[in-house]
Amino acid sequence: MSSNLLSYAGWTFLPNLVTGWLQTIYYGITIRAGDPKPQPGTPRYQKHRRRIHITVILAYLLYTVFEADYELRRKGDFYQDLGVVHDVDDKGIKSRFRRMAALHHPDKVSTLENRDASEAFFVHLKLAQDTLLNPTKRFAYDRFGPDVLNWQHCSSIHDYLMIGLQTSVPLYAGSAIFMILLGVTGYLQWGRFWRYLTFASLLLLEVHTLTRPYFPPILTTLLNPLLHALTLHPPLLPFQLLILARKATLTLFIALSQLGPVFMQSSPASLATTSSSTAIAPQQLDRLEQIAKANEIEVSRLLALDMAPFAGDEQGVKELRGRVREWLVQNTIRADPEVRDAVGRALGRRRVGAPAGGR
Protein backbone atom coordinates (compact mmCIF):
# COMPACT_ATOMS: atom_id res chain seq x y z
CA MET A 1 0.00 0.00 0.00
CA SER A 2 2.80 2.42 0.91
CA SER A 3 4.61 1.73 -2.37
CA ASN A 4 1.40 2.51 -4.29
CA LEU A 5 0.99 5.79 -2.42
CA LEU A 6 4.60 6.71 -3.15
CA SER A 7 4.10 5.83 -6.79
CA TYR A 8 1.03 8.05 -7.07
CA ALA A 9 2.68 10.86 -5.09
CA GLY A 10 5.60 10.73 -7.50
CA TRP A 11 3.30 11.94 -10.27
CA THR A 12 2.96 15.32 -8.55
CA PHE A 13 6.62 16.35 -8.85
CA LEU A 14 8.79 13.74 -10.57
CA PRO A 15 7.81 14.42 -14.23
CA ASN A 16 8.59 18.15 -14.01
CA LEU A 17 11.76 17.54 -12.00
CA VAL A 18 13.12 14.87 -14.34
CA THR A 19 12.14 16.95 -17.39
CA GLY A 20 14.27 19.85 -16.16
CA TRP A 21 17.25 17.57 -15.54
CA LEU A 22 16.98 15.85 -18.91
CA GLN A 23 16.61 19.14 -20.76
CA THR A 24 19.76 20.47 -19.10
CA ILE A 25 21.65 17.28 -20.00
CA TYR A 26 20.28 17.41 -23.55
CA TYR A 27 21.53 20.95 -24.07
CA GLY A 28 24.87 20.03 -22.54
CA ILE A 29 25.29 17.21 -25.08
CA THR A 30 23.84 18.75 -28.24
CA ILE A 31 25.04 22.37 -27.91
CA ARG A 32 28.73 23.13 -28.14
CA ALA A 33 30.51 25.12 -25.44
CA GLY A 34 30.19 28.83 -26.10
CA ASP A 35 27.07 28.57 -28.25
CA PRO A 36 23.95 30.18 -26.81
CA LYS A 37 21.36 27.83 -25.32
CA PRO A 38 17.62 28.34 -25.83
CA GLN A 39 16.28 30.55 -23.08
CA PRO A 40 13.13 29.74 -21.08
CA GLY A 41 10.05 31.13 -22.78
CA THR A 42 11.42 30.98 -26.32
CA PRO A 43 9.57 28.77 -28.87
CA ARG A 44 12.56 26.46 -29.28
CA TYR A 45 12.93 25.98 -25.52
CA GLN A 46 9.21 25.27 -25.13
CA LYS A 47 9.23 22.77 -28.00
CA HIS A 48 12.15 20.82 -26.48
CA ARG A 49 10.59 20.88 -23.02
CA ARG A 50 7.24 19.68 -24.36
CA ARG A 51 8.80 16.70 -26.15
CA ILE A 52 10.98 15.71 -23.19
CA HIS A 53 8.03 16.08 -20.81
CA ILE A 54 5.85 13.77 -22.92
CA THR A 55 8.64 11.19 -23.04
CA VAL A 56 9.11 11.34 -19.27
CA ILE A 57 5.38 10.91 -18.58
CA LEU A 58 5.08 7.91 -20.90
CA ALA A 59 8.21 6.33 -19.39
CA TYR A 60 6.85 6.81 -15.86
CA LEU A 61 3.53 5.32 -16.98
CA LEU A 62 5.30 2.18 -18.16
CA TYR A 63 7.37 2.07 -14.97
CA THR A 64 4.33 2.13 -12.67
CA VAL A 65 2.74 -0.74 -14.61
CA PHE A 66 6.01 -2.68 -14.51
CA GLU A 67 6.23 -2.03 -10.77
CA ALA A 68 2.76 -3.51 -10.23
CA ASP A 69 3.65 -6.52 -12.37
CA TYR A 70 6.88 -7.04 -10.43
CA GLU A 71 4.96 -7.01 -7.15
CA LEU A 72 2.58 -9.66 -8.49
CA ARG A 73 5.46 -11.88 -9.62
CA ARG A 74 7.16 -11.46 -6.26
CA LYS A 75 4.07 -12.64 -4.40
CA GLY A 76 3.47 -15.54 -6.81
CA ASP A 77 0.36 -17.72 -6.88
CA PHE A 78 -0.69 -21.26 -6.02
CA TYR A 79 0.01 -22.55 -9.53
CA GLN A 80 3.58 -21.24 -9.49
CA ASP A 81 4.19 -22.53 -5.96
CA LEU A 82 3.12 -26.02 -6.96
CA GLY A 83 4.79 -25.75 -10.36
CA VAL A 84 1.71 -26.67 -12.41
CA VAL A 85 -0.02 -25.11 -15.40
CA HIS A 86 -3.33 -23.28 -15.17
CA ASP A 87 -5.39 -26.04 -16.80
CA VAL A 88 -3.95 -28.85 -14.65
CA ASP A 89 -6.40 -31.53 -13.52
CA ASP A 90 -6.85 -32.94 -10.01
CA LYS A 91 -4.53 -35.86 -10.68
CA GLY A 92 -1.72 -33.55 -11.72
CA ILE A 93 -2.21 -31.38 -8.62
CA LYS A 94 -2.06 -34.37 -6.25
CA SER A 95 0.98 -35.82 -7.98
CA ARG A 96 2.84 -32.53 -7.87
CA PHE A 97 1.94 -31.97 -4.21
CA ARG A 98 3.28 -35.40 -3.20
CA ARG A 99 6.54 -34.64 -4.99
CA MET A 100 6.85 -31.20 -3.36
CA ALA A 101 5.91 -32.59 0.06
CA ALA A 102 8.67 -35.19 -0.21
CA LEU A 103 11.18 -32.40 -0.75
CA HIS A 104 9.93 -29.86 1.81
CA HIS A 105 8.43 -31.97 4.60
CA PRO A 106 9.46 -30.57 8.02
CA ASP A 107 10.59 -34.01 9.27
CA LYS A 108 13.42 -33.95 6.72
CA VAL A 109 14.93 -30.73 8.10
CA SER A 110 17.48 -30.99 10.91
CA THR A 111 17.89 -27.43 12.25
CA LEU A 112 15.09 -25.70 14.16
CA GLU A 113 15.16 -22.48 12.11
CA ASN A 114 14.98 -24.29 8.80
CA ARG A 115 12.28 -26.56 10.21
CA ASP A 116 10.03 -23.58 11.00
CA ALA A 117 10.48 -22.17 7.48
CA SER A 118 9.94 -25.60 5.95
CA GLU A 119 6.83 -26.17 8.04
CA ALA A 120 5.37 -22.81 6.96
CA PHE A 121 6.07 -23.59 3.30
CA PHE A 122 4.59 -27.08 3.67
CA VAL A 123 1.41 -25.61 5.13
CA HIS A 124 1.28 -23.16 2.22
CA LEU A 125 1.61 -26.01 -0.28
CA LYS A 126 -1.15 -27.94 1.50
CA LEU A 127 -3.40 -24.85 1.34
CA ALA A 128 -2.63 -24.47 -2.38
CA GLN A 129 -3.54 -28.08 -3.05
CA ASP A 130 -6.77 -27.91 -1.09
CA THR A 131 -7.81 -24.68 -2.85
CA LEU A 132 -7.11 -25.94 -6.36
CA LEU A 133 -8.75 -29.31 -5.73
CA ASN A 134 -11.99 -27.59 -4.69
CA PRO A 135 -13.72 -26.44 -7.94
CA THR A 136 -15.63 -23.64 -6.19
CA LYS A 137 -12.60 -22.23 -4.39
CA ARG A 138 -10.47 -22.64 -7.50
CA PHE A 139 -12.97 -20.60 -9.53
CA ALA A 140 -12.99 -17.88 -6.88
CA TYR A 141 -9.19 -17.91 -6.47
CA ASP A 142 -8.59 -17.54 -10.20
CA ARG A 143 -10.78 -14.43 -10.34
CA PHE A 144 -10.40 -12.75 -6.94
CA GLY A 145 -6.98 -13.89 -5.81
CA PRO A 146 -5.84 -15.00 -2.35
CA ASP A 147 -8.37 -12.72 -0.64
CA VAL A 148 -11.00 -15.45 -1.06
CA LEU A 149 -9.22 -17.50 1.62
CA ASN A 150 -10.46 -14.98 4.21
CA TRP A 151 -14.07 -14.92 3.00
CA GLN A 152 -16.30 -16.76 5.42
CA HIS A 153 -19.56 -18.62 4.87
CA CYS A 154 -18.99 -19.15 1.15
CA SER A 155 -20.05 -22.55 -0.15
CA SER A 156 -20.93 -21.83 -3.79
CA ILE A 157 -19.73 -19.79 -6.72
CA HIS A 158 -22.71 -17.48 -6.24
CA ASP A 159 -21.59 -16.70 -2.68
CA TYR A 160 -18.08 -15.80 -3.83
CA LEU A 161 -19.41 -13.67 -6.68
CA MET A 162 -21.71 -11.73 -4.33
CA ILE A 163 -18.90 -10.91 -1.94
CA GLY A 164 -16.58 -10.01 -4.83
CA LEU A 165 -19.17 -7.73 -6.38
CA GLN A 166 -19.80 -6.07 -3.02
CA THR A 167 -16.18 -4.92 -3.05
CA SER A 168 -16.04 -3.98 -6.75
CA VAL A 169 -19.37 -2.19 -7.27
CA PRO A 170 -18.71 0.66 -4.76
CA LEU A 171 -15.28 1.21 -6.32
CA TYR A 172 -16.66 1.57 -9.85
CA ALA A 173 -19.70 3.56 -8.76
CA GLY A 174 -17.55 6.02 -6.82
CA SER A 175 -15.11 6.35 -9.69
CA ALA A 176 -17.91 6.98 -12.20
CA ILE A 177 -19.52 9.64 -10.00
CA PHE A 178 -16.16 11.31 -9.46
CA MET A 179 -15.44 11.40 -13.21
CA ILE A 180 -18.88 12.84 -13.97
CA LEU A 181 -18.45 15.56 -11.34
CA LEU A 182 -15.06 16.49 -12.77
CA GLY A 183 -16.57 16.69 -16.26
CA VAL A 184 -19.52 18.83 -15.11
CA THR A 185 -17.32 21.26 -13.16
CA GLY A 186 -14.98 21.72 -16.13
CA TYR A 187 -11.91 19.92 -14.79
CA LEU A 188 -9.91 17.40 -16.81
CA GLN A 189 -11.55 18.34 -20.10
CA TRP A 190 -8.64 17.18 -22.24
CA GLY A 191 -8.80 13.43 -22.93
CA ARG A 192 -12.27 13.09 -21.42
CA PHE A 193 -13.41 10.72 -24.20
CA TRP A 194 -10.43 8.42 -23.65
CA ARG A 195 -11.04 8.38 -19.91
CA TYR A 196 -14.64 7.29 -20.36
CA LEU A 197 -13.67 4.72 -22.98
CA THR A 198 -10.90 3.25 -20.80
CA PHE A 199 -13.18 3.16 -17.75
CA ALA A 200 -15.96 1.40 -19.70
CA SER A 201 -13.47 -1.09 -21.16
CA LEU A 202 -12.12 -1.91 -17.71
CA LEU A 203 -15.65 -2.40 -16.36
CA LEU A 204 -16.60 -4.74 -19.21
CA LEU A 205 -13.36 -6.70 -18.81
CA GLU A 206 -13.97 -7.23 -15.10
CA VAL A 207 -17.62 -8.22 -15.54
CA HIS A 208 -16.69 -10.67 -18.30
CA THR A 209 -13.81 -12.13 -16.28
CA LEU A 210 -15.81 -12.62 -13.09
CA THR A 211 -18.96 -14.07 -14.62
CA ARG A 212 -17.55 -16.52 -17.18
CA PRO A 213 -16.49 -20.10 -16.31
CA TYR A 214 -13.43 -19.79 -18.53
CA PHE A 215 -10.46 -17.45 -18.65
CA PRO A 216 -10.93 -14.28 -20.76
CA PRO A 217 -9.85 -14.77 -24.39
CA ILE A 218 -7.52 -11.76 -24.24
CA LEU A 219 -5.54 -13.70 -21.65
CA THR A 220 -5.50 -17.15 -23.23
CA THR A 221 -5.08 -16.14 -26.89
CA LEU A 222 -2.97 -12.97 -26.66
CA LEU A 223 -1.18 -12.03 -23.46
CA ASN A 224 -0.06 -15.38 -22.09
CA PRO A 225 1.13 -16.72 -25.48
CA LEU A 226 3.10 -13.51 -26.03
CA LEU A 227 4.63 -13.71 -22.56
CA HIS A 228 5.58 -17.33 -23.12
CA ALA A 229 7.07 -16.71 -26.57
CA LEU A 230 8.96 -13.47 -25.91
CA THR A 231 9.82 -13.42 -22.20
CA LEU A 232 10.37 -15.59 -19.14
CA HIS A 233 7.31 -14.06 -17.50
CA PRO A 234 4.97 -16.66 -15.96
CA PRO A 235 1.41 -16.76 -17.36
CA LEU A 236 -1.10 -14.45 -15.77
CA LEU A 237 -4.21 -15.47 -13.91
CA PRO A 238 -7.47 -13.52 -14.33
CA PHE A 239 -7.15 -11.75 -10.95
CA GLN A 240 -3.60 -10.69 -11.86
CA LEU A 241 -4.86 -9.36 -15.20
CA LEU A 242 -7.51 -7.32 -13.41
CA ILE A 243 -5.00 -5.90 -10.93
CA LEU A 244 -2.71 -4.79 -13.76
CA ALA A 245 -5.65 -3.38 -15.73
CA ARG A 246 -6.83 -1.32 -12.75
CA LYS A 247 -3.32 -0.07 -12.11
CA ALA A 248 -2.80 0.82 -15.77
CA THR A 249 -6.18 2.60 -15.95
CA LEU A 250 -5.58 4.73 -12.88
CA THR A 251 -2.06 5.55 -14.02
CA LEU A 252 -3.35 6.42 -17.48
CA PHE A 253 -5.86 8.85 -15.95
CA ILE A 254 -3.06 10.59 -14.05
CA ALA A 255 -0.87 10.63 -17.16
CA LEU A 256 -3.68 12.22 -19.19
CA SER A 257 -4.06 14.95 -16.58
CA GLN A 258 -0.31 15.60 -16.92
CA LEU A 259 -0.33 15.48 -20.73
CA GLY A 260 -3.40 17.69 -21.10
CA PRO A 261 -1.68 21.05 -20.45
CA VAL A 262 1.26 20.00 -22.65
CA PHE A 263 -0.89 19.21 -25.68
CA MET A 264 -3.15 22.21 -25.10
CA GLN A 265 -0.10 24.47 -25.44
CA SER A 266 0.51 23.09 -28.94
CA SER A 267 -3.16 22.93 -29.96
CA PRO A 268 -4.49 25.02 -32.91
CA ALA A 269 -6.38 27.28 -30.49
CA SER A 270 -3.23 28.20 -28.60
CA LEU A 271 -1.33 28.65 -31.85
CA ALA A 272 -4.08 30.95 -33.10
CA THR A 273 -3.80 32.97 -29.90
CA THR A 274 -0.06 33.24 -30.37
CA SER A 275 -0.40 34.30 -34.01
CA SER A 276 -3.00 36.93 -33.06
CA SER A 277 -0.66 38.31 -30.40
CA THR A 278 2.17 38.52 -32.90
CA ALA A 279 -0.15 40.20 -35.43
CA ILE A 280 -0.62 43.10 -33.03
CA ALA A 281 2.98 44.26 -33.48
CA PRO A 282 2.60 45.72 -37.04
CA GLN A 283 -0.52 47.58 -35.96
CA GLN A 284 1.35 49.12 -33.07
CA LEU A 285 4.21 50.12 -35.38
CA ASP A 286 1.77 51.86 -37.76
CA ARG A 287 0.23 53.73 -34.85
CA LEU A 288 3.64 54.82 -33.57
CA GLU A 289 4.54 56.05 -37.06
CA GLN A 290 1.35 58.12 -37.21
CA ILE A 291 2.07 59.61 -33.78
CA ALA A 292 5.64 60.48 -34.83
CA LYS A 293 4.41 62.25 -37.98
CA ALA A 294 1.84 64.20 -35.98
CA ASN A 295 4.56 65.30 -33.52
CA GLU A 296 6.81 66.38 -36.40
CA ILE A 297 4.02 68.52 -37.86
CA GLU A 298 3.33 70.06 -34.47
CA VAL A 299 7.01 70.92 -33.92
CA SER A 300 7.24 72.52 -37.38
CA ARG A 301 4.13 74.59 -36.61
CA LEU A 302 5.54 75.78 -33.25
CA LEU A 303 8.88 76.65 -34.90
CA ALA A 304 7.04 78.68 -37.55
CA LEU A 305 5.22 80.58 -34.80
CA ASP A 306 8.54 81.38 -33.09
CA MET A 307 9.99 82.65 -36.39
CA ALA A 308 6.97 84.87 -37.16
CA PRO A 309 8.54 88.09 -35.72
CA PHE A 310 11.46 87.73 -38.20
CA ALA A 311 9.29 87.38 -41.29
CA GLY A 312 10.67 89.61 -44.08
CA ASP A 313 13.78 90.59 -42.03
CA GLU A 314 16.65 88.76 -43.79
CA GLN A 315 19.31 90.45 -41.68
CA GLY A 316 17.59 89.43 -38.47
CA VAL A 317 17.15 85.85 -39.66
CA LYS A 318 20.85 85.69 -40.64
CA GLU A 319 21.90 87.00 -37.23
CA LEU A 320 19.56 84.55 -35.47
CA ARG A 321 21.03 81.65 -37.39
CA GLY A 322 24.55 82.72 -36.43
CA ARG A 323 23.58 82.98 -32.76
CA VAL A 324 21.92 79.56 -32.83
CA ARG A 325 24.98 78.03 -34.52
CA GLU A 326 27.24 79.57 -31.89
CA TRP A 327 24.98 78.31 -29.10
CA LEU A 328 25.08 74.81 -30.53
CA VAL A 329 28.86 74.88 -30.75
CA GLN A 330 29.31 76.23 -27.23
CA ASN A 331 26.73 74.19 -25.37
CA THR A 332 26.50 70.99 -27.38
CA ILE A 333 29.62 70.18 -29.32
CA ARG A 334 32.25 71.62 -26.96
CA ALA A 335 30.44 70.23 -23.93
CA ASP A 336 30.77 66.70 -25.30
CA PRO A 337 33.39 64.76 -23.23
CA GLU A 338 35.02 63.24 -26.30
CA VAL A 339 35.39 66.64 -28.00
CA ARG A 340 36.85 68.17 -24.86
CA ASP A 341 39.28 65.26 -24.51
CA ALA A 342 40.40 65.62 -28.14
CA VAL A 343 40.93 69.37 -27.72
CA GLY A 344 42.95 68.76 -24.57
CA ARG A 345 45.20 66.24 -26.32
CA ALA A 346 45.71 68.65 -29.23
CA LEU A 347 46.68 71.47 -26.90
CA GLY A 348 49.08 69.18 -25.10
CA ARG A 349 50.97 68.47 -28.31
CA ARG A 350 51.65 72.17 -29.06
CA ARG A 351 55.35 73.04 -29.00
CA VAL A 352 56.43 75.00 -25.94
CA GLY A 353 58.45 78.20 -26.68
CA ALA A 354 57.62 78.35 -30.40
CA PRO A 355 56.36 81.59 -31.96
CA ALA A 356 52.61 82.03 -31.89
CA GLY A 357 52.28 81.38 -35.61
CA GLY A 358 54.36 78.20 -35.43
CA ARG A 359 52.56 76.50 -32.61
Side-chain angles (χ1 to χ4, degrees), residues 13-285:
F13 66 93
L14 277 181
N16 290 325
L17 183 64
V18 176
T19 298
W21 289 347
L22 291 180
Q23 191 167 9
T24 302
I25 296 173
Y26 173 75
Y27 286 156
I29 295 175
T30 59
I31 298 179
R32 294 180 299 180
D35 293 345
K37 298 180 180 180
Q39 297 299 316
T42 60
R44 185 183 177 192
Y45 180 91
Q46 294 296 338
K47 180 180 70 173
H48 292 163
R49 185 170 185 84
R50 183 164 56 250
R51 291 178 178 177
I52 296 174
H53 194 58
I54 292 173
T55 304
V56 169
I57 291 176
L58 294 178
Y60 195 58
L61 171 63
L62 295 177
Y63 167 75
T64 51
V65 177
F66 172 80
E67 182 185 25
D69 177 69
Y70 173 79
E71 188 68 18
L72 287 176
R73 286 186 285 123
R74 187 183 64 84
K75 292 180 179 179
D77 58 71
F78 286 166
Y79 294 92
Q80 294 182 43
D81 297 336
L82 290 175
V84 295
V85 295
H86 292 169
D87 56 352
V88 62
D89 55 7
D90 293 351
K91 182 179 179 181
I93 294 174
K94 295 178 180 179
S95 175
R96 185 61 183 175
F97 173 75
R98 286 194 296 267
R99 193 176 308 171
M100 296 288 291
L103 294 175
H104 301 282
H105 198 280
D107 295 340
K108 295 187 176 183
V109 179
S110 57
T111 61
L112 181 60
E113 296 180 358
N114 294 335
R115 181 176 298 176
D116 293 338
S118 180
E119 183 176 357
F121 185 66
F122 181 80
V123 172
H124 178 75
L125 291 177
K126 184 66 169 61
L127 178 63
Q129 178 196 230
D130 295 341
T131 302
L132 298 183
L133 287 178
N134 188 322
T136 302
K137 289 186 177 180
R138 183 173 179 176
F139 176 92
Y141 177 81
D142 290 345
R143 286 151 183 81
F144 298 104
D147 293 341
V148 300
L149 302 177
N150 300 322
W151 295 355
Q152 304 295 328
H153 310 294
C154 293
S155 57
S156 63
I157 294 178
H158 180 270
D159 296 337
Y160 283 107
L161 285 176
M162 287 298 100
I163 295 180
L165 292 177
Q166 289 175 7
T167 58
S168 299
V169 169
L171 174 64
Y172 282 96
S175 301
I177 294 173
F178 183 70
M179 290 176 59
I180 293 174
L181 289 177
L182 289 179
V184 172
T185 54
Y187 291 98
L188 303 179
Q189 291 296 321
W190 191 89
R192 181 173 55 182
F193 170 77
W194 296 108
R195 287 188 180 90
Y196 290 149
L197 179 62
T198 305
F199 182 79
S201 301
L202 176 63
L203 178 60
L204 289 177
L205 174 64
E206 182 148 356
V207 171
H208 180 273
T209 302
L210 298 182
T211 57
R212 295 296 183 273
Y214 48 84
F215 286 8
I218 189 176
L219 195 63
T220 57
T221 61
L222 180 62
L223 291 181
N224 283 341
L226 284 177
L227 292 176
H228 177 72
L230 302 178
T231 67
L232 298 177
H233 195 289
L236 294 173
L237 286 168
F239 82 88
Q240 295 172 330
L241 173 65
L242 293 178
I243 291 175
L244 290 179
R246 295 185 196 124
K247 180 75 172 184
T249 300
L250 180 58
T251 308
L252 179 62
F253 287 174
I254 301 175
L256 288 176
S257 65
Q258 295 274 343
L259 291 173
V262 178
F263 282 105
M264 290 178 66
Q265 291 176 0
S266 59
S267 62
S270 63
L271 293 178
T273 304
T274 305
S275 61
S276 62
S277 63
T278 56
I280 297 176
Q283 299 176 2
Q284 292 179 343
L285 290 176

Side-chain angles (χ1 to χ4, degrees), residues 311-324:
D313 188 359
E314 296 182 1
Q315 185 65 25
V317 173
K318 185 178 181 180
E319 183 179 358
L320 178 62
R321 289 177 178 176
R323 295 290 180 87
V324 171

